[in-house]
Amino acid sequence: MYTPQAGIFALGTSSHAYLEFDLLDAKKCKEFISTISAIREPRTTTGGVNFVIGFRPELWRNIVPGDAPPGVEGFNQDIKGTEGFVMPATQHDALVWLSGSAYDVVFDMARSVIHDLTGLASLGEETSSWPYKHDRDLTGFVDGSENPTLLDAPTAALLPQGVPGAAGSVLLLQKWKHQTTEWEALPVERQEQIMGRTKLDSIELENKPADSHVAMTDQDKFGNIFRRNMPYGNVEDHGTVFVGFSADQKRLSTMLNSMAGLLTGTRDALTRFTQPFTGSYYFVPSVESLRSLRPDGTSQ
């Protein structure tokens, strides 16, 4: 029996840091993965840190071929949609996502992780995020209204037992920058048509437009994704960190193609007010798979 990384389902944390690393020397890829796999939660009385550790799928397959789901690939090419819309590929080699109840502990652990990887990898991207009005993104709408419950989330997010990569997950990580001035200039009724939901109570519109965000990302059509999105940025420059877990990468890639207009010829209306500028896929292996790669082979 394989066990998923607990951080995937650690809801309610208020401080987050996403650290994306690039390997400096391909000959040291095994040492690189081993070092990241050895990360442990801090022993502290002031609050804990949850971890989600993921690797570029091709890198993981190279080191642990028997534990890699077939066909999973990195975000290696830009998605070129209609009207010149582009979702850029900015694939890195590994992700360490830290979350906790207070940013000071997350900050200290992030520094520790970066220090441990000195000489093995460079920090390619660092993003901090935080919740906004409990469960809303910076458009003012509830984010993740169709998210599966924690009881159902493992079925949506995790590869089943008995297959390569069991209890692992495919993670899509993107940063979407909001065009806040243009968005907030719209009347609420127009915002709701673009989203496909009401703003106040997040009720799906009966006659939502075909290009609304809800229609273009319909999980009944593409399959369930467990989302852990969070706002990022500052007052002048901000947006959404999209964090989506799935047992099947095709659900994620088809959703992106739909948003870009590659399925119907019409792109998601929301993409006119928010622009992606990063994109990576990571395979998030099971606890047992990480443990097997630690230098001492221990779990504590």
Side-chain angles (χ1 to χ4, degrees), residues 279-290:
S280 291
Y281 282 113
Y282 296 100
F283 178 64
V284 179
S286 68
V287 171
E288 289 76 13
S289 296
L290 291 177

Side-chain angles (χ1 to χ4, degrees), residues 51-106:
F51 290 89
V52 173
I53 297 171
F55 301 97
R56 179 167 55 85
E58 295 88 347
L59 178 62
W60 180 256
R61 185 176 296 112
N62 181 47
I63 299 300
V64 195
D67 191 52
V72 178
E73 298 178 344
F75 203 133
N76 299 322
Q77 294 183 336
D78 295 348
I79 297 175
K80 298 180 180 179
T82 61
E83 304 174 63
F85 177 73
V86 176
M87 294 186 186
T90 59
Q91 184 68 50
H92 300 280
D93 288 318
L95 165 71
V96 180
W97 168 24
L98 315 174
S99 63
S101 59
Y103 190 69
D104 55 352
V105 182
V106 172

